[in-house]
Amino acid sequence: MIEIEAVEKSYGPLRVLKGISLRVPEGKVVCVIGPSGSGKSTLLRCVNGLEGYQGGAIRVDGRLVDRGRKAEIRAVRQRVCMVFQRFNLFGHRTALENVTEGPIYALGEPRQQAEAGGRELLARVGLSGKEGTYPAQLSGGQQQRVAIARALAMRPQAVLFDEPTSALDPELVGEVLAVMRDLAREGMTMMVVTHEIAFAREVADHVVFMDHGVVVEEGPPDEVLATPREPRTQEFLRRVLRPLD
Amino acid sequence: MSFESFLTSARDFLPILLQGVWVTIALTLCALVLATLLGLLWALMRTSGTRWLEWPAKAVVNTLRGIPIIVQLFYIYFVLPELGLDLTAFQAGVIGLGVAYSAYMGEVFRSGMLAVDPGAVEAAESLGIPRFRIMTRVVLPQAVRIVLPPYGNMLIMMLKDSSQASVITVAEISTQSRLIAASTFKNQEVFTLAALLYLALSVPLIILVGQLEKRFGRA
């Protein structure tokens, strides 16, 4: 579904991605973990074409992600949607309008159909009755669930999650992770950049540990998260799981 | 000034002053259109990300902000004819007021564009919404909300500053009242009427801007 091959990216002299390769097969959940500044969010943004890259290739469903080709990028974006760390909702539109904006203006769906679909999706993420509410009146967890519904409204073949719970109060993390877990169970292809090790352990089919723009270690969650081989992975997990030691 | 003499003066002078009111309104609205269009141009240039567009716009805006409106009006009305460009007083007034205010409008528009949430724009991009639609559905609705209250304030200030066009003989409210006062010596009555007419025009606008701020300030 998503194929990332030897991707290189730098900001000026700073190399943030140093030949990253990674695959997200259809129907699988790949979690990318790693310290901040390791390039994992950048990689995710490259998959969606929000940022360009200088070397290698990213393919989505066989299509090359190339920011130079506008029509091609739009086709990719309609297949692979993104959920952001800070929700990035349209603040001047209601929850329902946030969800229908994509179907109406990117897919050309009739408004009525989009609204019916939008209501269903809001119900699916547990937000029935909040259709007419503006983002500012929703909690962080509710806002992020609207953002997930907005991504699903595009009927994507895969969803990219960029640290979807990092901006949430601790007590709101669970409701968002629950929605993501349901989504994974239904067979959605997902690429998740996260610091939620417990979530990765339960839901991921494959875990990738990135540091300084390279993949340090990858494999099934039981191996990478429970018995990591690389010292850098061990050190990172120790600090994340037992910050006070 | 007794109340009766005031009413008599009002009856005698209002028809002439009302002509001035129409000129004031026309002058303000024409200048508003010019200031808005030029202001948008300056704002787009300054946010273009291209240095050779940003720099000239910045220079123009700062020059205009640094010269009193009255001097700009003198320049357009008295200097341009020497260079072969003859303008009526009204035309010169519209251009002077409009160009002078375009500098402030440009800054208002620029701050509005910069205040639009870049995350929302990015989200729209990530959904594959076409560029034009992102502009009309995400950027402009947000920018308009941010810009509308200060834009309304600009309009109120322009309405009052249109009186400066009296120095180049545009027959608006203050010109008319000065002429009447000079020929009748009824300074108190005439200038009270002029002040009331300005208030009648500006107070509704002030209330409107207050409403806008209440409505959009929250979101």
Side-chain angles (χ1 to χ4, degrees), chain B residues 26-58:
Chain B
L27 176 62
T28 305
L29 288 183
C30 291
L32 178 72
V33 171
L34 182 62
T36 303
L37 294 177
L38 278 178
L40 273 176
L41 179 66
W42 308 143
L44 288 172
M45 284 170 77
R46 285 197 71 175
T47 53
S48 64
T50 315
R51 201 187 309 172
W52 56 271
L53 282 176
E54 279 172 25
W55 193 84
K58 197 174 172 184

Side-chain angles (χ1 to χ4, degrees), chain A residues 45 48 50 74 77-78 80-82 84 88-93 101-102 105-106 111 150-151 154, chain B residues 117-131 133 136-139 141-142 145 219:
Chain A
R45 294 165 58 82
N48 194 262
L50 284 175
R74 279 184 49 205
R77 286 171 172 173
Q78 287 163 13
V80 181
C81 289
M82 184 134 171
F84 298 87
N88 295 12
L89 292 178
F90 309 128
H92 59 299
R93 305 214 180 271
E101 208 68 2
Y105 294 99
R111 180 171 294 274
R150 174 175 69 178
M154 298 295 291
Chain B
D117 172 18
V121 175
E122 197 162 69
E125 274 177 29
S126 82
L127 290 171
I129 295 174
R131 229 185 154 65
R133 283 298 183 185
T136 61
R137 298 290 302 174
V138 181
V139 176
Q142 286 189 61
R145 271 155 206 257

Side-chain angles (χ1 to χ4, degrees), chain A residues 31-185:
Chain A
C31 284
V32 182
I33 60 171
S36 45
S38 58
K40 47 198 199 308
S41 286
T42 307
L43 180 65
L44 208 61
R45 294 165 58 82
C46 287
V47 174
N48 194 262
L50 284 175
E51 291 194 33
Y53 51 93
Q54 282 102 29
I58 298 177
R59 285 196 173 73
V60 169
D61 207 10
R63 280 168 195 269
L64 184 71
V65 180
D66 175 1
R67 274 169 66 82
R69 289 186 292 177
K70 293 269 145 68
E72 199 75 356
I73 276 288
R74 279 184 49 205
V76 166
R77 286 171 172 173
Q78 287 163 13
R79 284 170 178 74
V80 181
C81 289
M82 184 134 171
V83 174
F84 298 87
Q85 182 176 0
R86 310 212 64 93
F87 329 135
N88 295 12
L89 292 178
F90 309 128
H92 59 299
R93 305 214 180 271
T94 63
L96 183 60
E97 287 170 336
N98 264 279
V99 178
T100 56
E101 208 68 2
I104 293 175
Y105 294 99
L107 302 177
E109 258 181 38
R111 180 171 294 274
Q112 273 188 320
Q113 187 190 331
E115 282 181 358
R119 282 173 207 284
E120 242 169 70
L121 282 168
L122 284 176
R124 197 166 140 197
V125 298
L127 290 173
S128 287
K130 298 285 185 193
E131 289 84 359
T133 311
Y134 285 90
Q137 278 128 28
L138 295 170
S139 74
Q142 290 172 327
Q143 289 189 52
Q144 192 61 298
R145 285 185 281 149
V146 172
I148 293 174
R150 174 175 69 178
L152 296 180
M154 298 295 291
R155 279 176 255 105
Q157 295 169 4
V159 182
L160 309 174
F161 290 87
D162 186 8
E163 300 195 28
T165 58
S166 298
L168 295 177
D169 291 337
E171 79 272 20
L172 301 176
V173 168
E175 61 191 62
V176 171
L177 291 181
V179 168
M180 291 169 64
R181 184 172 50 207
D182 290 347
L183 204 56
R185 285 204 183 123

